[in-house]
Amino acid sequence: MSALDDAVGKTSTTSAELVFDVEGMTCGSCAARVQRVLGKEDGVVDARVNYATGMAHVDVGPDVAEDSLHESVSRIGYELVPHRDAAARRREQEDEETRWRRRLVIGIPIAALFGVMMALGLSGGEMPGWFENGVAPLLATVTVFGIGWPFLREAARRARALTTNMDTLIAIGTVSAWAFSLAQWLGGRTPRYWDAPVFIVVFLVAGRYAEARAKSRAGDALQSLLELGAKEARRLDPETGEETGMVDVLELELDDHIRVRPGETIPVDGEVVAGSTAVDESMLTGESAPVEKTVGDPVTGATINAGGAITVAVKAVGGRSKLAQMAALVQRAQDSKGEAQRLADRVSAVFVPIVIVIALVTAAIWLLVSGDVAEAVTAAVSVLIIACPCALGLATPMAMMVGTGRAAQLGIVVKGIEALEQTRRVDTVVFDKTGTLTEGRMSVVAVHGDDDVLAKVAAVEQDSEHPIGAAIVEAAEQVDQSAEVTDFTAHAGRGVSATVDGQTVYVGTRRLLAEEDLTVAEEFEQLAAKAESTGATVVFAGWDGRCTGVISVADTVKSSAVGVVDALRDMGVDVAMITGDNQRTARSIADDLRITTVLAEVLPEDKQAEVERLQGQGLTVAMVGDGVNDAPALAQADLGIAMGTGTDVAIEASDLTLMAGRLQSVPTAMRLAAGTERTIRQNLAWAFGYNTLAIPVAALGLLTPAVAGAAMAFSSVSVVLNSLRLRRFGQVEARGADDQMEVAR
């Protein structure tokens, strides 16, 4: 069994994997709670719950009944339901996004109206009576019990299950402020705090809408990956060998024969039984040069037939194909991050019960000491208002909004707080070679021999679909169209030949020239050996019985790569390179970049394993890549960074995406992500610190509800102002990073 099979999950006689959708989760702490409960069930080997995808993967022994899992999760207020197909889940997630968007569209004008009225009051003007005594209580009621109904409903569900989460905090704060204001209004007294629950609800609805939008796109990486494969295949009649027409790949059976024409996507994993070709396997291995295939060689689904027509015997279909297994690797790596939670959610499990107890104790003590019900209620409400999680609710989304907005201006997409939490801990960056540190395409780097060698070789290769041939044609800039090219012949695995203006020209390997009795001078042998020692591919050309030249073709290093590596090293980060290329090619590139740690000849499944191995050594690893073959490693890494010029799969599996594909953005992205995460922590520290200090003051009766409301507003403003500092990032930081890399170059 291959390492890929093992990574995806081995079949076992003693365990099986159950997959469920989890309903009722509203935050990262919900996923952790469900995972913890499932993990404690007898017979459960492992449980992984992913809040982003809403899925639970449970490895169970043979004696575990699904009903017991359903019951244990139901007791804490959530539900396990049978896993739905991708289309149904996508529709459901889009519906959830739409519902939050509608609530936000209604809430924004209400919050804006309250903001105008607050500004009027603060400027010394008199608030209109129609608003204060009619519109304000009506709109506040609509906001709390209409727009904010999902928070109240979820808080009630948590209460029935004797648990708490952020929704509990939101419900306590908003309902307390609303109820106190209602009592003041009905009694004809002031002050009132209608604005407090309105702003809390609208801000948090905006945050939930952003989360729902992100969740609705959570499965795009896997969907994009699976869509790479061909949907149909040309099946051959087993008796005659003739094509019987196009069939759905799912209808194919093991050992069926199919034909793959030049330029087509190979639809299944199989073995070549007739013909020869060159296959572009870059999506799988990252190797930029195509791989020659002949009878007996294996081919992989979703790779491209870049040469001649071949007949393939089917060896793997459906879930056993490498493409499907790679999709499973991405999902398992993403699931391993499911325990990452927002700090506010983790602390709320302790914070909420404490606030409730303090409010009740405050009311009881004031009743005993003063006997005044009004004073007791006022003190208790002051505690609840001062504890209202307005600043707490703003801490993360505000910093994310400003930080990701600034990142977008710099061409960097940050996907979520989990990425930010990891960025500041990164101590090792692993770069994929092909397409990341290098240009990702073959180009001519040297031509030696007769003056007309490049022109004649380009004439032979002008209609070639082979990447090496295309690179030679591109280097020639202009192929002599007047040259008469006839008798073009492909020599499987060795090269090509053609007659150019009556002269037979051979282009390919040493072996081809030897077979055609063309002598190779020692000078060319030495030039070829030197080029091959640097990892270049050497093309021999010859006519008239001798080798007339050698052309070196290679994937070249990006001009900015050296500066990027040096900049990261100056940040105290170790740099490594990983590639599917051979040791010689990899070492040559690494030497140019002054990278000492090189992982070469690494298969796609092993890229993920190498990242996992580094993590096992206690390192926090960032992976930078651009190809489908990098997707599992990007998902496994503590921080996945994708080049925006790469594949959709790599982008979707990553945490940060560099949209312009500028390698220089890697250190800039890490600095910005770390700065945003640092701002979030500062905001949360302020919000929790403010509550910790202010709640005792309110409990002692030293804060009236009015002062508590003002303090709560001040806390929120402080969080906003701290977050807005991120807008200045790049005016100094990014420019300094780019200047540093220019100096390094």
Side-chain angles (χ1 to χ4, degrees), residues 357-558:
V357 169
I358 291 175
L360 293 174
V361 170
T362 299
I365 292 176
W366 275 97
L367 279 174
L368 290 173
V369 173
S370 68
D372 189 327
V373 175
E375 287 187 358
V377 171
T378 298
V381 170
S382 295
V383 170
L384 291 173
I385 289 177
I386 206 74
C388 191
C390 189
L392 197 59
L394 283 172
T396 296
M398 192 66 197
M400 283 291 292
M401 185 187 308
V402 179
T404 54
R406 182 57 185 150
Q409 292 176 335
L410 298 173
I412 303 163
V413 175
V414 183
K415 291 198 174 178
I417 188 173
E418 290 85 358
L420 304 182
E421 289 174 340
Q422 293 296 337
T423 300
R424 70 184 184 92
R425 304 186 186 94
V426 168
D427 49 33
T428 304
V429 175
V430 179
F431 283 94
D432 171 59
K433 180 186 76 69
T434 306
T436 303
L437 292 173
T438 67
E439 296 293 346
R441 57 186 178 85
M442 306 298 282
S443 58
V444 173
V445 295
V447 179
H448 302 281
D450 294 359
D451 293 340
D452 58 347
V453 65
L454 184 61
K456 286 195 174 183
V457 171
V460 173
E461 296 278 13
Q462 61 182 309
D463 294 324
S464 173
E465 296 179 352
H466 199 291
I468 292 177
I472 293 173
V473 172
E474 182 181 354
E477 295 183 355
Q478 185 173 356
V479 178
D480 184 4
Q481 299 294 333
S482 64
E484 183 180 356
V485 181
T486 59
D487 301 326
F488 180 88
T489 303
H491 303 269
R494 304 185 302 283
V496 296
S497 64
T499 301
V500 180
D501 291 334
Q503 191 173 48
T504 302
V505 177
Y506 295 92
V507 180
T509 63
R510 291 182 181 84
R511 179 182 170 189
L512 175 64
L513 268 62
E515 290 176 351
E516 301 298 332
D517 295 326
L518 275 70
T519 59
V520 180
E522 182 63 25
E523 175 191 1
F524 288 139
E525 286 286 8
Q526 293 176 354
L527 288 169
K530 182 178 179 180
E532 289 172 339
S533 69
T534 66
T537 298
V538 175
V539 176
F540 290 82
W543 54 83
D544 293 339
R546 66 184 180 89
C547 173
T548 54
V550 292
I551 301 174
S552 301
V553 182
D555 185 9
T556 56
V557 174
K558 289 182 177 178

Side-chain angles (χ1 to χ4, degrees), residues 218 220-222 330 333-334 337 415 627-628 630-637 639-642 647-657:
D220 285 354
L222 301 179
V330 174
Q334 289 177 336
K337 294 182 181 180
K415 291 198 174 178
V628 172
D630 300 320
L634 287 168
Q636 175 65 44
L639 181 71
I641 304 177
T647 64
D648 289 343
V649 176
I651 292 171
E652 291 296 337
S654 66
D655 302 302
L656 303 180
T657 301

Side-chain angles (χ1 to χ4, degrees), residues 122-300:
L122 292 173
S123 64
E126 186 175 343
M127 194 173 296
W130 60 265
F131 180 79
E132 188 173 9
N133 295 313
V135 173
L138 175 63
L139 292 181
T141 302
V142 169
T143 301
V144 172
F145 296 98
I147 299 172
W149 175 246
F151 302 123
L152 303 182
R153 181 185 59 207
E154 197 58 38
R157 290 179 61 184
R158 300 281 75 77
R160 287 195 298 270
L162 301 179
T163 61
T164 60
N165 66 354
M166 272 292 294
D167 291 323
T168 307
L169 278 175
I170 296 166
I172 290 175
T174 55
V175 173
S176 296
W178 174 86
F180 183 79
S181 299
L182 180 65
Q184 293 288 86
W185 179 55
L186 293 176
R189 298 184 298 273
T190 58
R192 302 162 192 165
Y193 307 101
W194 302 117
D195 55 299
V198 168
F199 289 132
I200 293 170
V201 168
V202 173
F203 274 124
L204 293 176
V205 164
R208 290 293 171 86
Y209 166 66
E211 284 192 4
R213 183 176 176 82
K215 283 179 66 177
S216 70
R217 288 151 180 77
D220 285 354
L222 301 179
Q223 190 63 31
S224 299
L225 186 55
L226 293 172
E227 286 177 356
L228 286 174
K231 303 299 184 294
E232 295 183 318
R234 304 176 189 277
R235 184 160 56 187
L236 305 183
D237 185 283
E239 301 294 334
T240 64
E242 299 294 326
E243 293 184 15
T244 60
M246 301 294 290
V247 299
D248 191 299
V249 292
L250 297 179
E251 296 180 18
L252 294 174
E253 297 180 356
L254 295 182
D255 296 324
D256 276 352
H257 284 193
I258 61 172
R259 179 161 293 140
V260 185
R261 296 177 179 176
E264 291 184 343
T265 299
I266 297 174
V268 295
D269 293 359
E271 180 182 300
V272 178
V273 294
S276 61
T277 187
V279 176
D280 179 359
E281 294 185 338
S282 58
M283 61 75 61
L284 183 67
T285 66
E287 173 72 64
S288 52
V291 180
E292 300 293 339
K293 300 287 184 179
T294 188
V295 174
D297 291 335
V299 291
T300 304

Side-chain angles (χ1 to χ4, degrees), residues 623-646:
M623 171 73 188
V624 186
D626 72 328
V628 172
N629 61 298
D630 300 320
L634 287 168
Q636 175 65 44
D638 298 289
L639 181 71
I641 304 177
M643 308 299 286
T645 51

